[in-house]
Amino acid sequence: MNSIARRIALGLTLSAASIGPGLAQVLPPATPADTTHKFENPAGVPAVVKQPWYKGKLVKATIVPALLIGYGAYTSNGGGFYTNQEANRDIHKLFPTFRTSLDDILIFVPYAELGLVALSGVESKNDQLNVGLVVLKSELIMLTTVFAVKNLSRKTRPDGSDQLSFPSGHTAQAFLAASIVHNEFRDKSQWYGIGAYTIATSVAALRMINTKHWQSDVVAGAGFGILSAHLGYLTHRNRWGRKPRLPEGMGFSPTWLPSYGLGAGGGLSGTPGFSFTWRPK
């Protein structure tokens, strides 16, 4: 009987010895939680990596206009591999007698496209009120810079009419409007911007054909127009904290009021403007 009891006691001792280490692995001693940094990033949002300066919005917005303005300034005084005089000579070999006032009309066509596309139901990037504010600000920037440079440079026009040739104000106006169209509808289709820039390029070509500007003038004018539009967007903020829209039934659209007869250059004459419509519900 005593030998049986000793065997039972020995078995229990061996079982306890074999179970003990297993329990030690399953239930490790508790460690206190680290509360030192718990308020540094409670949402777990990854830290924002600062981009280098050359990838910033300002650089992206100014690189192309800066190249255009720089090229125009460089070629303005006879520089470049294709000078102003050579370009003027070749243009008038192709169009020796052609003159038109169509360039005075085409500068407003991109804005007409902006209004017509919006009225057709295509949603622009920004609402009507904020687009109008961007246009107003961009126009002020363009007019101020272009006429300041004109009066500082005092470049004589190809036809000798005055000394306000550099840069081309018509071209700046057309490319400003085209840039607005491109920015507002590029998410819908690139063709809206392509059409607007094609019209703006036509304005630049007609200014040279009409002997009103040199090649350098229209290249720099395109740069000033694009730059003004980009600066208008970069400096714009929606102060209302929402997207304000005109009341339902109200709208603005560009208009062209033709006058009877032909203009001095043989083209159609008329008056551009805007119309206001209101359909009360």
Side-chain angles (χ1 to χ4, degrees):
M1 185 70 180
N2 291 335
S3 61
I4 294 174
R6 282 196 298 272
R7 290 177 183 177
I8 294 173
L10 180 60
L12 292 175
T13 302
L14 292 174
S15 299
S18 61
I19 294 173
L23 291 175
Q25 294 176 1
V26 175
L27 300 174
T31 56
D34 181 13
T35 59
T36 307
H37 307 285
K38 68 177 181 178
F39 295 112
E40 290 185 358
N41 191 8
V45 179
V48 178
V49 180
K50 187 177 181 180
Q51 291 185 339
W53 64 270
Y54 55 85
K55 290 186 178 181
K57 290 182 178 180
L58 182 61
V59 174
K60 291 180 179 179
T62 57
I63 184 65
V64 172
L67 291 173
L68 293 173
I69 296 171
Y71 178 82
Y74 175 67
T75 58
S76 178
N77 293 319
F81 62 90
Y82 189 52
T83 65
N84 283 338
Q85 289 71 24
E86 291 171 340
N88 191 54
R89 177 200 64 202
D90 293 340
I91 287 171
H92 289 94
K93 280 183 180 179
L94 295 173
F95 307 97
T97 60
F98 180 79
R99 297 293 182 271
T100 179
S101 60
L102 188 60
D103 47 349
D104 295 329
I105 302 172
L106 288 178
I107 59 175
F108 298 105
V109 172
Y111 279 147
E113 179 188 356
L114 180 69
L116 291 173
V117 173
L119 289 175
S120 67
V122 180
E123 186 176 359
S124 58
K125 182 178 179 181
N126 297 286
D127 59 275
Q128 295 176 4
L129 180 56
N130 280 288
V131 171
L133 293 174
V134 170
V135 168
L136 179 61
K137 185 183 299 185
S138 302
E139 289 284 350
L140 291 174
I141 295 172
M142 185 273 293
L143 292 172
T144 301
T145 54
V146 165
F147 283 100
V149 175
K150 277 179 177 290
N151 285 279
L152 289 173
S153 63
R154 306 296 297 176
K155 180 74 174 178
T156 304
R157 294 183 188 270
D159 63 358
S161 57
D162 58 39
Q163 293 182 320
L164 299 174
S165 186
F166 182 87
S168 170
H170 279 66
T171 308
Q173 175 62 70
F175 273 87
L176 185 158
S179 298
I180 298 289
V181 173
H182 173 67
N183 187 79
E184 290 299 323
F185 297 112
R186 64 185 175 186
D187 294 336
K188 302 298 181 181
S189 174
Q190 291 290 340
W191 286 106
Y192 296 120
I194 292 173
Y197 280 123
T198 301
I199 294 168
T201 304
S202 300
V203 171
L206 289 174
R207 295 305 285 170
M208 292 188 290
I209 292 172
N210 286 332
T211 323
K212 287 299 182 181
H213 285 290
W214 304 98
Q215 160 194 236
S216 59
D217 304 338
V218 298
V219 173
F224 277 105
I226 297 171
L227 178 63
S228 299
H230 288 179
L231 292 179
Y233 277 105
L234 284 176
T235 59
H236 183 67
R237 295 292 182 272
N238 189 340
R239 300 300 182 185
W240 297 272
R242 59 184 178 86
K243 287 189 173 183
R245 296 187 179 274
L246 294 176
E248 188 177 358
M250 292 186 181
F252 288 93
S253 62
T255 61
W256 175 257
L257 301 176
S259 58
Y260 295 101
L262 298 177
L268 294 174
S269 60
T271 304
F274 285 91
S275 67
F276 171 74
T277 58
W278 179 41
R279 298 184 180 90
K281 300 297 182 180

